[in-house]
Amino acid sequence: MFSKKMVLIVGGIVLITVNVILLSVTSKSQSNFGFGRVSLSFVAPFQELVTRSVRFARGIWGHYFILVSVSQENDDLKKSLNHAIEKNNQWYELELANKRLRNLLSFQRSLANRVVAAEVIGKDPSTWFKTVTIDKGKADGLQKGLPVVLPQGIAGQVIEASDHYSKVMLIIDRNSAVDALVQRSRARGIIKGASADQCRFEFVLRKHDVQVGDTVIASGLDGVYPKGLRIGRVSDLSERSSDIFYEITVEPFVDYEKLEEVLVVLRPKIQTFASQQ
Amino acid sequence: MRYGFYIGTCLFLILIQTTILPYFNAFSGIYDLLIPFVIFICICLPIRESLPFVLILGLIMDNLSGSPFGFYLSFYFWLFVGVRWVLKFLRVSNKFLLSLVVVIAVLIENIIVIGTFALSGPDWQLPADAFKNIALPFFWALITGPIFLLGLLALSRRFNIQLNGASPQPNAYG
């Protein structure tokens, strides 16, 4: 009834249509139907091995072969160390004072938030997407949706966790969104990834005061990132006469190209009334 | 043994792409190294062996990347279909045209990525580094893609000679 060529053409069209529909669904939902853990468990151990080997080789190169001007550097470092010891003492005093004040105010929330240190063992194979693989997983208490931070600021969030490895979406990924505030004026908006090591700060009303150089922090309202964590600095700001929002570019504090170690903030333990007695 | 060679090469390329190359800024815009590999196994293996291989490879890449799930699976599948079709008209010995297939595949992959961005919602925006993300892999593929593909073919031929004695193991395309 139908020629072979006709069946092939119709089959091809049906396949392409199904493919486009599936891609459309998955690009909106970020779902992987549970396959993620299997692949992570399979490839990540090899990634870990290679990454550690590369770092080991780099370490040998750095420590044993590049000896030029080490003596001068040593003298400088000794001076810096003396300075650091002095500073450290001052900070220790401040830390003690801080602890006392925290206890005084019964500020227990930050004590309940445990963190897990993890090492970056692999990066996204595509330049379009910004994810990294870390060497901690469910066995270490990690789960989907946990915030990943660095002392400099927010790095991203866990989007997939296997037993010993996890995939982290960085805030510069175009699928990432963080509810944020301008620290100085408390103007609120959404930080979205722009892929090029920069973020866009969207939905900030023009009636608010925002300036280039302002620090942007997490508002805590998205339920993922704890309030007050630093994100970045406003690097560009423009106003369109027809728009009620600013067009803001934010330069993150974290250098994502040099990401090696990260901290994953675990969910705070739920305190029951009985446990507090 | 032959499958060991293909699986080993594939794993090696994934590891290179996700762990070693990111350390070198010079390679920051390199293309998907598995594209020449998919073309290579299309040439070297019969359909019943190469298709499952391509699909599993797509699944692994989908899970290592932050791309929409199914992107690599779809792209490798259609690349497989396209290459099998092109091979009906093209001889494997025609190295120039075969190299052109690598470059075109790299270009199409990047265009499909932008297509998936457009599918994600009406308020999508072209990423700020879109031009760089298309141009750099294109030039990398233009320069190294053909060498890479021909290197894989030569390596496979050598491996087959070692495995089967003097004559290489025949495959679908000789």
Side-chain angles (χ1 to χ4, degrees), chain A residues 59-120:
Chain A
I60 287 179
W61 181 263
H63 288 102
Y64 296 103
F65 294 108
I66 306 175
L67 287 172
V68 183
S69 76
V70 162
S71 175
Q72 177 64 41
E73 198 181 344
N74 195 27
D75 289 339
D76 292 341
L77 286 173
K78 275 182 183 166
K79 279 181 199 165
S80 302
L81 183 63
N82 288 334
H83 188 65
I85 288 169
E86 191 189 334
K87 281 273 179 200
N88 192 32
N89 194 40
Q90 287 175 9
W91 284 331
Y92 184 60
E93 282 299 309
L94 279 172
E95 191 188 343
L96 289 175
N98 196 6
K99 274 184 185 168
R100 285 197 303 274
L101 288 169
R102 277 175 193 272
N103 287 334
L104 198 64
L105 293 167
S106 300
F107 187 62
Q108 292 180 340
R109 189 176 161 275
S110 63
L111 296 175
N113 276 10
R114 285 196 304 122
V115 293
V116 172
E119 205 172 334
V120 175

Side-chain angles (χ1 to χ4, degrees), chain A residues 12 15-16 19-20 23-24 26-28 30-33 35-36 39-40 42-43 46-47 50-51 54-55 58 121-131 167 174-175 192 194-196 200 257, chain B residues 11 14-15 17-20 22-23 25 28-30 59-72 74 77-78 110 113-114 116-117 119-121 123-125 127-130 133-134:
Chain A
L15 258 179
I16 291 171
N19 205 167
V20 169
L23 274 179
S24 170
T26 55
S27 65
K28 282 174 192 160
Q30 276 288 323
S31 164
N32 61 16
F33 309 106
F35 290 112
S39 293
L40 269 182
F42 173 66
V43 180
F46 294 103
Q47 287 182 316
V50 174
T51 302
V54 170
R55 284 191 190 148
R58 279 205 316 178
I121 56 162
K123 294 194 175 178
D124 200 302
S126 170
T127 48
W128 294 96
F129 304 99
K130 308 290 178 184
T131 63
K167 190 159 78 177
R174 57 179 305 282
N175 292 312
K192 294 189 88 175
S195 290
R200 293 192 308 273
E257 289 297 319
Chain B
L11 192 58
I14 292 176
L15 292 178
Q17 205 169 329
T18 57
T19 59
I20 296 175
Y23 279 104
N25 284 336
S28 64
I30 201 155
L59 268 177
I60 291 175
M61 288 296 280
D62 266 330
N63 288 302
L64 289 177
S65 170
S67 60
F69 185 76
F71 166 71
Y72 281 101
S74 311
F77 171 73
W78 288 111
N110 287 317
V113 172
I114 294 176
T116 61
F117 292 166
L119 285 173
S120 64
D123 59 339
W124 76 282
Q125 285 185 357
D129 53 355
N133 281 350
I134 292 174

Side-chain angles (χ1 to χ4, degrees), chain A:
Chain A
M1 192 170 152
F2 298 108
S3 66
K4 193 182 170 189
K5 196 175 176 184
M6 178 67 97
V7 171
L8 267 176
I9 291 170
V10 172
I13 291 168
V14 170
L15 258 179
I16 291 171
T17 313
V18 170
N19 205 167
V20 169
I21 291 168
L22 280 176
L23 274 179
S24 170
V25 171
T26 55
S27 65
K28 282 174 192 160
S29 66
Q30 276 288 323
S31 164
N32 61 16
F33 309 106
F35 290 112
R37 272 164 279 160
V38 181
S39 293
L40 269 182
S41 305
F42 173 66
V43 180
F46 294 103
Q47 287 182 316
E48 187 176 18
L49 186 73
V50 174
T51 302
R52 287 192 199 287
S53 306
V54 170
R55 284 191 190 148
F56 180 70
R58 279 205 316 178
I60 287 179
W61 181 263
H63 288 102
Y64 296 103
F65 294 108
I66 306 175
L67 287 172
V68 183
S69 76
V70 162
S71 175
Q72 177 64 41
E73 198 181 344
N74 195 27
D75 289 339
D76 292 341
L77 286 173
K78 275 182 183 166
K79 279 181 199 165
S80 302
L81 183 63
N82 288 334
H83 188 65
I85 288 169
E86 191 189 334
K87 281 273 179 200
N88 192 32
N89 194 40
Q90 287 175 9
W91 284 331
Y92 184 60
E93 282 299 309
L94 279 172
E95 191 188 343
L96 289 175
N98 196 6
K99 274 184 185 168
R100 285 197 303 274
L101 288 169
R102 277 175 193 272
N103 287 334
L104 198 64
L105 293 167
S106 300
F107 187 62
Q108 292 180 340
R109 189 176 161 275
S110 63
L111 296 175
N113 276 10
R114 285 196 304 122
V115 293
V116 172
E119 205 172 334
V120 175
I121 56 162
K123 294 194 175 178
D124 200 302
S126 170
T127 48
W128 294 96
F129 304 99
K130 308 290 178 184
T131 63
V132 293
T133 308
I134 57 173
D135 66 345
K136 293 286 186 296
K138 283 181 178 168
D140 307 284
L142 269 64
Q143 52 180 284
K144 195 175 173 180
L146 290 181
V148 180
V149 300
L150 283 168
Q152 296 93 325
I154 289 177
Q157 67 166 300
V158 176
I159 55 167
E160 184 76 54
S162 69
D163 283 346
H164 299 287
Y165 302 96
S166 301
K167 190 159 78 177
V168 175
M169 179 169 68
L170 305 177
I171 60 165
I172 51 170
D173 187 282
R174 57 179 305 282
N175 292 312
S176 165
V178 185
D179 201 295
L181 292 172
V182 174
Q183 194 169 37
R184 184 179 53 83
S185 63
R186 316 310 283 177
R188 202 180 143 206
I190 305 286
I191 289 281
K192 294 189 88 175
S195 290
D197 291 352
Q198 283 188 331
C199 299
R200 293 192 308 273
F201 194 16
E202 295 185 345
F203 310 115
V204 182
L205 290 168
R206 277 169 55 184
K207 67 180 182 181
H208 294 303
D209 175 24
V210 183
Q211 289 168 14
V212 172
D214 275 347
T215 298
V216 180
I217 58 168
S219 71
L221 293 171
D222 51 24
V224 176
Y225 300 100
K227 185 177 181 177
L229 284 178
R230 285 159 30 108
I231 296 172
R233 185 166 282 118
V234 175
S235 61
D236 190 38
L237 179 97
S238 61
E239 297 175 38
R240 276 190 196 159
S241 56
S242 59
D243 207 343
I244 58 166
F245 301 117
Y246 284 114
E247 275 190 8
I248 302 173
T249 306
V250 170
E251 195 178 327
F253 290 122
V254 176
D255 184 352
Y256 296 98
E257 289 297 319
K258 294 175 182 167
L259 211 57
E260 289 191 15
E261 285 93 21
V262 292
L263 296 171
V264 184
V265 183
L266 301 181
R267 295 242 186 275
K269 285 175 188 167
I270 297 164
Q271 299 280 329
T272 58
F273 180 73
S275 69
Q276 288 179 345
Q277 296 298 304

